[in-house]
Amino acid sequence: MQVWVIWLIAAGILGVGEMHQGGFYLAPFALAAGVAAIVSLLGVGAALTAVVFVATSAIVFATLRPVARRHRQLPPSIRTGAAALVGRPAIVLERIANDEGVGCVRIGGEVWTARSYDDDEVIDAGERVEVVEIRGATALVMH
C-alpha cells in the first residue's frame, strides 16, 4: 500500500473521530494528515511527509483552536418567567408584615403577593424594595 493512501485513511479516521468528539482536538490532525497525503502523492519521501504532518498540525492547532474555543463558549443563561424577576425593583402597595401574613408589591406592572426576606422586618406601603427570591406565587423582598 502506498504511503499517501495511509495518510488519506488516517485523515478520514481522524475526521470521523472529530465528528463524534466535537471538541476540535482531532480536526487539526485530520487536516494535517490530508496535507501529508497530498505531499506524499507528489513523491516526497516518508520522512519529509512526517515533518509536513507535524508542522501542519502545529500551525493549524495554534491558529484555529483559540478561534474555535471562543465560538464554543455559551452565553450566560437567559432567565425567563418568575426567575427573571429576581433582582428587579418593586414598589410596596400594601404594608408587608410576615407575622400578619399581609403584603403585596408591584413588579414591572404586575401585582405580586409579597413577604419580607427578613421575617422581623416590616415594610410600609410606598417604599422601594428589591426582589430577592420567588417562592411559588410570592415574592420575597428586602430594602
Side-chain angles (χ1 to χ4, degrees), residues 46-82:
L48 187 56
T49 304
V51 170
V52 167
F53 171 76
V54 170
T56 305
S57 295
I59 291 169
V60 173
F61 199 87
T63 56
L64 294 182
R65 177 121 174 91
V67 174
R69 288 186 71 189
R70 276 194 303 260
H71 288 286
R72 285 186 52 94
Q73 292 177 347
L74 299 175
S77 61
I78 298 171
R79 295 186 303 170
T80 59

Side-chain angles (χ1 to χ4, degrees), residues 5-17 26-27 29-35 37 53:
V5 174
I6 295 171
W7 282 113
L8 195 59
I9 291 170
I13 291 171
L14 289 166
V16 170
L26 298 177
F29 300 113
L31 183 63
V35 171
F53 171 76

Side-chain angles (χ1 to χ4, degrees), residues 10-119:
I13 291 171
L14 289 166
V16 170
E18 174 61 36
M19 286 188 278
H20 289 332
Q21 191 263 345
F24 204 71
Y25 291 104
L26 298 177
F29 300 113
L31 183 63
V35 171
I38 292 170
V39 169
S40 179
L41 187 61
L42 295 174
V44 177
L48 187 56
T49 304
V51 170
V52 167
F53 171 76
V54 170
T56 305
S57 295
I59 291 169
V60 173
F61 199 87
T63 56
L64 294 182
R65 177 121 174 91
V67 174
R69 288 186 71 189
R70 276 194 303 260
H71 288 286
R72 285 186 52 94
Q73 292 177 347
L74 299 175
S77 61
I78 298 171
R79 295 186 303 170
T80 59
L85 300 176
V86 174
R88 294 202 40 204
I91 297 177
V92 178
L93 298 177
E94 179 185 324
R95 184 173 145 267
I96 299 172
N98 291 5
D99 57 341
E100 298 173 20
V102 295
C104 67
V105 294
R106 173 169 285 131
I107 308 169
E110 294 181 349
V111 177
W112 282 75
T113 302
R115 297 294 177 260
S116 175
Y117 190 72
D118 179 12
D119 282 334

